Amino acid sequence: MNWIILIIAGVFEVAFAFSLGKAKEATGTEAYLWYTSFFICSLISFALLIKAMQTIPIGTGYAVWTGIGAVGTVLVGIYVFKDPTSFWRVFFIVTLIASIIGLKVVSH
């Protein structure tokens, strides 16, 4: 169950990065709403991370959490914010995903 909680925490990490990107594009009240979203998503992400770490090894859990956040944020950047994409970016995203899966497989 804590692995599922950790994955959800990673999704909220992507959400807080997305909120920062939207806040950067916004002005006035809309920017403050996106900053509020950032704050709420980060609180939820960290709370879920703390819960998941009760049974998952700290090194593995933190690496998986940041990996989900990194991969998710890169994908959001490419698909939502139109960040550039290249063979090497995709190659390293795939490598990172393989590493995250590998950490999960070798964890006890």
Side-chain angles (χ1 to χ4, degrees), residues 12 16 33 35-46:
F12 274 98
F16 76 67
L33 291 173
Y35 287 125
T36 302
S37 172
F38 163 80
F39 181 71
I40 292 168
C41 288
S42 62
L43 285 177
I44 293 169
S45 182
F46 283 112

Side-chain angles (χ1 to χ4, degrees), residues 26-68:
T27 58
T29 304
E30 183 182 355
Y32 289 113
L33 291 173
W34 283 113
Y35 287 125
T36 302
S37 172
F38 163 80
F39 181 71
I40 292 168
C41 288
S42 62
L43 285 177
I44 293 169
S45 182
F46 283 112
L48 292 172
L49 177 64
I50 290 166
K51 171 67 177 149
M53 293 298 195
Q54 291 175 347
T55 60
I56 297 172
I58 186 92
T60 301
Y62 186 76
V64 169
W65 178 72
T66 58
I68 292 168

